[in-house]
Amino acid sequence: MAERGPLTIAVLIKQVPDMNAVKIDRTTGTIAPGAQPRISSYDEYAIEAALRLKETFGGEVIAVTVGPASARDAVSRALAMGADRGVHLELADVNATDTLGMARVLAGALQPLACDLVLAGQTSDDLEAGQVGAQVAELLGLPVISNVVEVAVDGSGVTARRDMEDGYQTVRSTLPVVLLSSTGLDEPR
């Protein structure tokens, strides 16, 4: 097996309401999200996996998010976890675009970074569409592996273990590749 050098890893993160702090206004029936937003839990698994790969191979982890000014907090949290740098693409109303529009914004930001790996959550805690990561991969012309619960990188590519309905599947890909993390990939620090 060939030796693997330093990796450039981008992690797509999304700021979401803390689902444990959501309240329902009984008079209007509307949802009142908690005051403290957080990084989507699936994205936290992706950050941790990226950090562990960086610890093994060297390189850098870049947290990338799209959102209003408050989304800087998500980037700050990723930096506190150990990411090397962050990219915040400011978009005042993230609900003004669909998943493909969001994927186009993210793909445009990722293109010049020339990443070896792009990690993202399989889905987000709020809308759970599960489309943006795969759409980013398509727009960048990269393979995508979804439902990843284990990842290993070597000189010739990546091997990922996927969680399937009836068990697990092991998949191999060359780099660069987009990996969509599922619960249990790596417990966030």
Side-chain angles (χ1 to χ4, degrees), residues 138-164:
E138 176 63 24
L139 291 168
L140 293 175
L142 299 177
V144 62
I145 303 173
S146 62
N147 295 313
V148 174
V149 294
E150 188 177 314
V151 62
V153 176
D154 60 38
S156 58
V158 63
T159 302
R161 186 172 183 222
R162 301 181 63 220
D163 187 11
M164 307 291 288

Side-chain angles (χ1 to χ4, degrees), residues 66-133:
V66 177
S70 64
R72 280 190 208 105
D73 294 343
V75 173
S76 294
R77 172 72 180 130
L79 293 170
M81 289 176 71
D84 298 291
R85 60 184 167 124
V87 176
H88 173 220
L89 306 161
E90 193 162 340
L91 180 62
D93 184 6
V94 293
N95 296 320
T97 186
D98 61 6
T99 60
L100 184 56
M102 189 65 65
R104 284 186 178 122
V105 171
L106 288 164
L110 291 171
Q111 191 82 39
L113 298 177
C115 298
D116 299 296
L117 284 166
V118 176
L119 282 84
Q122 177 65 35
T123 187
S124 64
D125 292 337
D126 58 353
L127 301 177
E128 295 188 346
Q131 298 174 349
V132 174

Side-chain angles (χ1 to χ4, degrees), residues 24-108:
I24 305 293
D25 183 328
R26 294 188 187 273
T27 57
T28 65
T30 58
I31 296 173
Q36 185 65 21
R38 54 169 292 155
I39 296 173
S40 181
S41 61
Y42 291 95
D43 297 340
E44 287 180 333
Y45 290 114
I47 293 168
E48 183 63 29
L51 294 173
R52 289 182 187 207
L53 288 169
K54 179 185 118 175
E55 289 167 357
T56 302
F57 298 102
E60 73 173 331
V61 174
I62 308 162
V64 182
T65 193
V66 177
S70 64
R72 280 190 208 105
D73 294 343
V75 173
S76 294
R77 172 72 180 130
L79 293 170
M81 289 176 71
D84 298 291
R85 60 184 167 124
V87 176
H88 173 220
L89 306 161
E90 193 162 340
L91 180 62
D93 184 6
V94 293
N95 296 320
T97 186
D98 61 6
T99 60
L100 184 56
M102 189 65 65
R104 284 186 178 122
V105 171
L106 288 164

